[in-house]
Amino acid sequence: MNFLRRFTATSETEASTRDDGAMTARDDMELNTASHVVERVPMPCVLEASFDGTRDGDLVFLWTLARGAARGSAERGAVNAFFDAFGEMYANWVPLIGDITSVEDAGCRRAHPREVVERAVSDAASLADRLDGALSTSMDIKEREERRANVGIEAMRALEVMSRSAHNRVVMVQYGVFKALMSACKACLQRLLTIGASASGADGASGDEARAQLDAMQRVIAHAVSILGTYLKEDKSWALQELTESSAQLCLIDVLRIERAASAKFNGSMRDTASSIEDAATAAIGYAIDGDVAMQKSLAAAGALDIFFEGVYSRDSASDVDAKFIASSIAALDLVRRVMSGSKANIERAQAVGMFNRLSTLVRRVSSLCNGSVDEPSVSGDEIEGVPWDSERVRSVLLSEAPVPMDATLSELYSLLLKLVERDEGIQSPEGWASKGAKELLAQCVVDALTESCSSASLPFASARKCLELRSFVARFVSDVIARDPTMIPIVRKSRTWEVLLDCDTFGPIQSASEDDAEVKSDDGNARLRQRVQTQVVALLLKAGRVASEATDSISECNALVGAITTRAIQPSAVLRCCPALELFLKLSSHGASKALSEIEAPGRLAGALSAQLKCWGSDDISFCENHSQLALPTPHAAALGATLSALRSCLEGPDVLALSTLNNDGVVDLIFSELLWATSTRDFAIQAVISLIGQRINASSPDAGAHRDAWSTLARRYVQALPRARGVSFDLLQAMLRGLRNMLNNPNGSGSSLRDLLSSEGGGAEFVQIVALCDGDAGENVALEVISTMQAVISNSHAAAATFEKVIGYDTFMEAIQCARGVNTMSEALFGAFMSLIVDDTYDRENVASSNVALRNSGALRTLLQLFNTLEVIEELRILLFTSIKHLLSTSVTSKATANSAGALDFFLGWYTDAEAHRESLLEVIRLCSSFSMSTKQVRHIFQLLKSDEVSSRDHLKLIQLLQHSAKREGPSTFFDFTGPGCGIHVNKQLTLPVRNGYTICMWFRIEKFPEAGNPVSLFSLLVGNGNGILGELNTDKLTLGIRGAAGTTDTASLAATIEENKWTFFVACSPSWSSFAARGKIIHGFNVDGSSKAPISSEVCRVHFILPHRIRHV
């Protein structure tokens, strides 16, 4: 054939080489197209090699004898002697590799003489003809040895040495080495099993003879397989077609099949030899099929796949499993990996013949042979059930996934399994990974096999330790594959991996409420290993959940984690790992975790677990991990209770979607009001849980809004209705609940306002009565103060709630209830502070009242406080504090004056004037401030009566007369609007038509009591049409800003310098002769567009803005 001419090209002339070049190139192209192999590489040239006459003198002499010997036994002996000496001399020979400057190789540095190579190949080719005579039996020992010498093992050994040289391999192909090797292998394989049966079963001389014959054939096969493997590994790019034509691959498959059967039947050294040949054949086949789809299909058509699959773990092996057998199985698995990569049909065939069941068995056996030297950490003094009693250390442990160490064999298997499930992007085949589902199918089969291997459901483990070590191996594998490819998570779920890893083999038997911990724990000496694997499994679940939440959803992982908590609620070792993992998951993957946990109703299930713990262990001892600074470690039960409470708290305080799912779960709410609220150790948690749930904003557009609203209302009512019971249990509990209710009412996200509306509308104010009724009996001043503060929160910024309060209770009844609870007839500073907070609807601070931005707002509460000053014993310090605070508030706010006027405060102050000798100056100033706002005829007559009184000095007469004179001069308008809160204002619901043809004027009086501390502007007016276009104005302390909102939704502004003083009435007027002066085309660009084309700066011709101040007018 044409490529043989290329083998001899080096001995041809340069001209003949050029003549054959075109034909060789054409043949190369045809060969490459037919075999679908990788791109060809240049073939090594053939060298003219020769022995070194000085160094190789003895070898040259033997070669001369062999070449000149007559045919017969003398020739056989001479040939064997030469090749035996050749093998010994070149046993460690490594051919020189490098640039070739000459075609001659003196001294055999790169190759061997052609005639020597030819003789070795021809000797191998005739081996089959000599084999029957060489293996015939004889009674004479010498004759048997002479016959075995006819096999010619020495020549096979020499060929293996020669095959190390690329130049030799070219020459060997020229002389038909493949056919020679195939002939020798087939002849030996045909007799192998027959002679092997005699060798393993016979004793004495016949057994020795059979074993000697078997050894001779195995040596021939071993040399042949080694030579073929070298060609497939080194010269596959140019020698594959010749190998295929000589059926070398099929011969290797026969070797693999027969040697595998032999290793199963033989013992001792014979089995080791068979296993070694099996491994060599496996490696050679691997070289052949690696990356060659056509070769894979060819072997599949020949039925070779089943042989490969069976090699993963030979079920028909009668011998004990040892390291050699495991090594052969791992080599077979590597071969299978190459066969299955990219071929869904091959994967399905592997499934059909049970290859993955063999893989499962292999994994378990390799793990069982592992030396088991686990580096177990020493027991730490601050650990409970193997879990650090420190939140930061727990976080570190759950994010580290420390696996159990592996030995070399297990590590090799681990790496191979990872390659099995990894996508090889370099594989391109008609049925490769492009074939839909090939990768997923293979990954599913591998994960199924691994999951099955660590499950004791089908086959028990020899020991609990081996089971735990294998589970650590599987958990490590799953962790690595999902980290590399998140799409593996659905495959892991489908394999029931979470269910297996969380079963009794990892966490021990499930404990019942009637069992004691000592009855459940087994002293198997594996406690530390078990704890380590438990932590690793939970850490794997946490990692999988985080990865899954970023890809799709983590419902399965959350369900497994929460299921472990609920199933093993009274098993501290499980709770102390799973609950912190759940908290960490919520913290690190808030959105995905909260959505998944809400889907599986995690809060309700956690509540069930907590209820089981409380029934079994009680609530007297609960410890939280964040309180790890305590001197002694808590008991496992106390730590587990704290971990469950902490996990439930994280769910309730988590994102809205998770907290809202709790509202519709009766389990959580029932647990709060039936158990948690009444135990000292859990009441704070219960109150905070209700605060979190009531603080949720319910989206009206949500399809579940109605159900959420009903559940929310029910929870709020149950909390208020529980207050009387709390009063009977403990005043501390009652005060804590009232503080919690205030937190709910003061929530700035809008839920507080919703709660006020609920309390004021439900049942005609029945909840108000329940709260005030808490003061009945001997509740004490502390409860009375809490009730005052709570009612302040209830009616704060709510006209409806305030009206309901006055209608249902009233301030007179309220005052009587407060006094009933206090049981004393003196005014305390705490009571004064509570009423002042109620009056100003804010927190009253006696030290900073002068600098605080508050005003008198609650006239009913103010009147009640003044009545208490009339009826109770009050120390002078409090009277002075009252006058000082009222004086400041009246002097800084018109709202305060209006509130005082509504409360009739001036009547109280005038009535106190006669007896207030010690602080008459302060009282007189308060009277002056009240009278400056409003004074009735009755109050004027009262002042005249004071002027007639002998108890008033002449100096005070003058001050009272000046007070009357001052009250006649009003500062500001008699009627005004008080806009005290965000969004307050006057809304005129009248459709305007803009532009206005004849222009317009905007004018008003305004008074800024206090600008926002953050420096934000105060809105003054907005004149807008239906589509949102129009004019807006706002004020800062140093400027007026006017803006025009155009059709495009943009707002252009212009600022005018102006000094706006606080607490000063100011008149504002803005005039425009025509709408176009302000808003031609709705645009302002450093001025106003006058006619739609030209731009002019702000001027008196375009826009007149007047600030009319008292006694003067300033024109801008």
Side-chain angles (χ1 to χ4, degrees):
M1 58 184 61
N2 290 329
F3 64 84
L4 290 180
R5 288 195 295 271
R6 182 170 55 183
F7 293 158
T8 58
T10 53
S11 61
E12 303 271 336
T13 62
E14 183 176 352
S16 63
T17 302
R18 286 196 300 268
D19 292 339
D20 292 336
M23 184 175 296
T24 301
R26 184 177 64 253
D27 290 341
D28 287 348
M29 181 180 65
E30 294 172 356
L31 182 62
N32 187 44
T33 303
S35 60
H36 301 286
V37 296
V38 294
E39 184 178 354
R40 289 181 176 274
V41 297
M43 185 186 303
C45 63
V46 178
L47 301 178
E48 294 297 331
S50 59
F51 290 119
D52 186 335
T54 302
R55 184 195 64 193
D56 302 332
D58 294 341
L59 194 59
V60 172
F61 173 73
L62 291 175
W63 171 246
T64 303
L65 293 179
R67 188 171 50 182
R71 291 190 176 276
S73 59
E75 180 188 22
R76 184 73 264 161
V79 171
N80 287 349
F82 168 73
F83 282 120
D84 184 56
F86 180 91
E88 291 295 330
M89 177 171 289
Y90 288 95
N92 299 318
W93 177 70
V94 178
L96 182 64
I97 300 175
D99 296 335
I100 300 175
T101 58
S102 173
V103 296
E104 295 183 358
D105 180 23
C108 299
R109 293 178 301 169
R110 291 186 172 87
H112 292 105
R114 291 174 61 92
E115 53 184 349
V116 174
V117 176
E118 179 185 8
R119 184 55 187 269
V121 173
S122 63
D123 198 75
S126 61
L127 185 146
D129 298 332
R130 303 191 305 270
L131 193 59
D132 285 334
L135 298 180
S136 60
T137 59
S138 175
M139 298 299 296
D140 185 76
I141 297 177
K142 182 177 181 181
E143 184 178 355
R144 289 200 302 266
E145 292 178 353
E146 290 178 354
R147 289 181 177 180
R148 282 200 302 273
N150 289 331
V151 174
I153 299 174
E154 294 80 4
M156 295 295 295
R157 179 189 180 191
L159 276 177
E160 183 179 355
V161 172
M162 296 174 188
S163 66
R164 300 172 190 171
S165 167
H167 308 284
N168 285 348
R169 292 195 295 273
V170 173
V171 176
M172 290 163 64
V173 171
Q174 291 178 357
Y175 293 122
V177 68
F178 294 145
K179 291 182 178 180
L181 294 176
M182 298 309 101
S183 173
C185 267
K186 290 178 181 179
C188 293
L189 289 173
Q190 289 173 358
R191 297 166 177 82
L192 184 65
L193 293 179
T194 302
I195 298 178
S198 301
S200 59
D203 296 326
S206 60
D208 293 340
E209 174 64 13
R211 283 187 285 274
Q213 293 177 358
L214 180 65
D215 179 68
M217 289 186 293
Q218 289 286 60
R219 290 174 63 185
V220 171
I221 297 172
H223 291 313
V225 171
S226 176
I227 297 169
L228 292 174
T230 301
Y231 273 101
L232 289 170
K233 180 180 180 180
E234 304 294 341
D235 301 325
K236 179 180 175 181
S237 58
W238 60 265
L240 185 59
Q241 182 174 349
E242 183 69 12
L243 286 164
T244 303
E245 291 179 353
S246 60
S247 301
Q249 291 89 338
L250 297 180
C251 178
L252 287 172
I253 292 172
D254 287 339
V255 171
L256 182 63
R257 175 176 54 82
I258 294 175
E259 294 293 346
R260 183 175 297 154
S263 65
K265 293 181 179 180
F266 297 163
N267 295 314
S269 60
M270 292 190 299
R271 185 180 67 183
D272 293 341
T273 301
S275 296
S276 298
I277 299 174
E278 178 187 354
D279 293 344
T282 300
I285 295 173
Y287 298 141
I289 67 175
D290 196 14
D292 193 332
V293 178
M295 180 61 67
Q296 294 179 16
K297 289 184 176 182
S298 175
L299 294 176
L305 295 185
D306 291 359
I307 298 175
F308 301 157
F309 297 149
E310 291 171 0
V312 173
Y313 191 90
S314 301
R315 286 185 172 181
D316 54 352
S317 176
S319 59
D320 294 333
V321 175
D322 56 9
K324 184 67 178 175
F325 177 80
I326 293 298
S328 299
S329 297
I330 292 177
L333 179 61
D334 188 32
L335 176 62
V336 167
R337 175 187 66 83
R338 304 182 192 188
V339 170
M340 292 191 300
S341 294
S343 175
K344 187 175 181 180
N346 291 352
I347 300 171
E348 291 173 342
R349 180 58 186 171
Q351 274 186 296
V353 300
M355 193 280 292
F356 294 103
N357 293 332
R358 298 173 184 270
L359 174 60
S360 178
T361 306
L362 173 63
V363 172
R364 179 177 284 205
R365 291 301 171 88
V366 173
S367 176
S368 65
L369 292 177
C370 180
N371 55 31
S373 58
V374 179
D375 182 20
E376 297 187 6
S378 59
V379 179
S380 175
D382 59 347
E383 290 184 358
I384 302 174
E385 298 288 340
V387 179
W389 190 240
D390 180 281
S391 55
E392 290 299 323
R393 288 178 59 198
V394 170
R395 173 190 174 97
S396 176
V397 167
L398 291 175
L399 294 177
S400 62
E401 296 183 78
V404 175
M406 301 182 294
D407 66 0
T409 304
L410 202 56
S411 297
E412 181 183 2
L413 178 61
Y414 184 85
S415 301
L416 192 54
L417 290 171
L418 285 179
K419 292 180 181 178
L420 264 176
V421 298
E422 285 179 348
R423 177 184 299 214
D424 188 351
E425 300 295 345
I427 294 178
Q428 298 295 334
S429 68
E431 297 181 0
W433 294 128
S435 175
K436 188 65 175 178
K439 175 185 182 256
E440 289 75 11
L441 178 60
L442 178 57
Q444 187 69 66
C445 292
V446 173
V447 176
D448 285 347
L450 284 175
T451 303
E452 182 65 23
S453 70
C454 67
S455 173
S456 60
S458 57
L459 182 64
F461 282 87
S463 66
R465 186 176 192 84
K466 291 302 178 184
C467 176
L468 292 169
E469 289 175 354
L470 181 53
R471 292 193 169 209
S472 176
F473 174 86
V474 174
R476 182 178 190 171
F477 176 82
V478 173
S479 176
D480 279 352
V481 297
I482 65 176
R484 301 182 185 194
D485 186 1
T487 61
M488 288 290 297
I489 292 181
I491 294 173
V492 175
R493 296 170 181 168
K494 195 174 180 180
S495 298
R496 298 174 41 253
T497 305
W498 305 143
E499 178 183 339
V500 171
L501 292 179
L502 291 169
D503 68 8
C504 298
D505 288 334
T506 302
F507 286 91
I510 298 176
Q511 183 178 355
S512 65
S514 60
E515 290 178 308
D516 186 72
D517 290 346
E519 299 177 7
V520 177
K521 290 183 180 179
S522 58
D523 187 15
D524 56 2
N526 300 316
R528 292 298 294 173
L529 176 60
R530 186 179 300 279
Q531 292 169 355
R532 185 171 183 174
V533 176
Q534 289 173 356
T535 303
Q536 183 185 358
V537 169
V538 175
L540 169 61
L541 260 180
L542 171 61
K543 178 179 182 179
R546 293 175 60 194
V547 174
S549 63
E550 295 177 0
T552 53
D553 67 77
S554 55
I555 293 177
S556 296
E557 288 68 34
C558 289
N559 193 41
L561 198 57
V562 175
I565 297 172
T566 54
T567 304
R568 302 179 179 274
I570 54 177
Q571 184 177 342
S573 61
V575 174
L576 289 174
R577 288 168 172 83
C578 295
C579 286
L582 185 63
E583 287 189 76
L584 193 56
F585 184 30
L586 261 175
K587 183 177 181 180
L588 298 177
S589 304
S590 177
H591 177 72
S594 59
K595 185 177 179 182
L597 291 172
S598 65
E599 289 285 340
I600 65 171
E601 299 181 347
R605 295 166 67 182
L606 289 175
L610 182 58
S611 178
Q613 292 172 349
L614 293 172
K615 290 178 181 178
C616 185
W617 301 331
S619 59
D620 295 334
D621 188 11
I622 299 177
S623 297
F624 294 93
C625 192
E626 54 264 28
N627 300 329
H628 63 274
S629 58
Q630 53 197 2
L631 297 178
L633 286 177
T635 64
H637 295 169
L641 277 168
T644 308
L645 279 169
S646 184
L648 181 56
R649 178 177 58 196
S650 296
C651 291
L652 299 180
E653 297 177 356
D656 291 350
V657 64
L658 181 55
L660 286 175
S661 69
T662 310
L663 283 174
N664 292 337
N665 191 299
D666 295 335
V668 178
V669 177
D670 289 342
L671 180 65
I672 290 174
F673 290 106
S674 63
E675 298 186 48
L676 300 182
L677 194 57
W678 315 114
T680 305
S681 57
T682 58
R683 74 181 185 196
D684 292 338
F685 167 83
I687 294 172
Q688 188 58 45
V690 177
I691 293 173
S692 299
L693 294 176
I694 295 296
Q696 298 302 315
R697 291 294 305 273
I698 299 175
N699 186 1
S701 61
S702 171
D704 299 325
H708 288 160
R709 172 62 63 183
D710 292 341
W712 183 88
S713 302
T714 302
L715 176 62
R717 284 194 297 269
R718 289 188 67 175
Y719 188 86
V720 176
Q721 292 166 2
L723 292 173
R725 179 183 173 185
R727 184 183 185 278
V729 172
S730 162
F731 285 130
D732 290 338
L733 172 60
L734 175 61
Q735 294 177 59
M737 290 185 66
L738 289 174
R739 287 193 293 270
L741 180 57
R742 292 200 297 274
N743 286 337
M744 303 175 208
L745 291 164
N746 294 328
N747 195 323
N749 69 351
S751 62
S753 298
S754 300
L755 182 58
R756 287 189 190 92
D757 295 339
L758 175 70
L759 296 179
S760 60
S761 61
E762 289 283 329
E767 281 75 12
F768 288 18
V769 176
Q770 285 186 330
I771 295 173
V772 175
L774 298 173
C775 295
D776 289 346
D778 56 349
E781 184 173 65
N782 289 336
V783 173
L785 297 177
E786 295 290 346
V787 170
I788 294 172
S789 299
T790 303
M791 291 312 303
Q792 174 193 341
V794 170
I795 65 177
S796 177
N797 290 323
S798 174
H799 296 294
T804 302
F805 173 78
E806 294 200 28
K807 177 182 177 181
V808 175
I809 299 174
Y811 282 98
D812 292 337
T813 305
F814 185 58
M815 180 178 64
E816 293 175 0
I818 296 300
Q819 280 300 98
C820 178
R822 295 181 68 238
V824 294
N825 197 33
T826 58
M827 170 69 73
S828 65
E829 184 176 352
L831 181 63
F832 173 78
F835 262 99
M836 284 299 296
S837 296
L838 180 61
I839 292 167
V840 300
D841 195 15
D842 206 333
T843 302
Y844 171 76
D845 186 357
R846 60 172 294 180
E847 302 295 335
N848 300 318
V849 66
S851 59
S852 59
N853 185 24
V854 295
L856 301 175
R857 301 189 183 279
N858 191 328
S859 59
L862 178 58
R863 182 175 61 254
T864 303
L865 178 63
L866 297 177
Q867 288 173 351
L868 289 173
F869 265 76
N870 276 341
T871 58
L872 300 181
E873 297 179 6
V874 182
I875 61 175
E876 289 299 314
E877 182 183 354
L878 283 182
R879 289 189 181 275
I880 295 173
L881 181 60
L882 172 67
F883 297 149
T884 303
S885 301
I886 295 295
K887 181 178 67 174
H888 170 74
L889 295 172
L890 291 173
S891 63
T892 57
S893 173
V894 177
T895 302
S896 296
K897 293 180 180 180
T899 302
N901 180 66
S902 178
L906 185 55
D907 292 327
F908 286 95
F909 297 145
L910 289 173
W912 296 344
Y913 184 81
T914 304
D915 299 329
E917 295 183 4
H919 38 266
R920 188 168 287 174
E921 289 289 337
S922 299
L923 182 57
L924 190 62
E925 180 63 20
V926 171
I927 294 172
R928 184 190 68 80
L929 291 170
C930 287
S931 63
S932 67
F933 182 83
S934 176
M935 180 180 288
S936 66
T937 304
K938 176 183 175 182
Q939 292 163 348
V940 172
R941 285 198 299 267
H942 196 156
I943 293 177
F944 279 120
Q945 289 177 0
L946 290 175
L947 291 173
K948 294 178 182 180
S949 175
D950 295 335
E951 298 179 2
V952 177
S953 65
S954 57
R955 184 168 176 266
D956 290 340
H957 284 176
L958 178 60
K959 292 182 178 180
L960 288 173
I961 293 172
Q962 290 175 346
L963 186 149
L964 289 172
Q965 181 183 11
H966 177 77
S967 64
K969 296 179 180 179
R970 181 179 301 279
E971 295 180 0
S974 59
T975 303
F976 60 91
F977 297 99
D978 185 16
F979 303 136
T980 58
C984 291
I986 299 176
H987 175 68
V988 180
N989 189 16
K990 181 180 179 181
Q991 184 65 40
L992 300 177
T993 301
L994 298 178
V996 180
R997 180 177 300 176
N998 298 324
Y1000 58 90
T1001 301
I1002 302 172
C1003 60
M1004 71 188 74
W1005 282 93
F1006 67 87
R1007 179 177 183 266
I1008 305 296
E1009 288 193 353
K1010 193 170 184 64
F1011 280 99
E1013 295 180 358
N1016 297 327
V1018 175
S1019 297
L1020 187 60
F1021 70 89
S1022 60
L1023 182 62
L1024 306 175
V1025 295
N1027 62 1
N1029 299 344
I1031 305 170
L1032 306 94
E1034 61 184 22
L1035 294 169
N1036 288 84
T1037 56
D1038 57 349
K1039 63 182 177 181
L1040 164 69
T1041 302
L1042 296 177
I1044 294 182
R1045 183 175 294 167
T1050 59
T1051 302
D1052 297 306
T1053 62
S1055 297
L1056 306 175
T1059 301
I1060 311 298
E1061 300 181 26
E1062 294 180 349
N1063 292 312
K1064 294 292 185 180
W1065 284 101
T1066 306
F1067 184 76
F1068 166 82
V1069 58
C1071 304
S1072 177
S1074 66
W1075 179 258
S1076 62
S1077 301
F1078 271 98
R1081 296 185 182 178
K1083 296 290 184 181
I1084 299 179
I1085 305 177
H1086 305 297
F1088 298 87
N1089 288 326
V1090 177
D1091 56 3
S1093 57
S1094 61
K1095 300 172 185 176
I1098 297 175
S1099 67
S1100 58
E1101 271 51 64
V1102 177
C1103 173
R1104 292 181 175 84
V1105 179
H1106 297 271
F1107 285 88
I1108 304 178
L1109 304 178
H1111 311 300
R1112 63 174 182 157
I1113 298 178
R1114 185 174 66 181
H1115 175 261
V1116 181

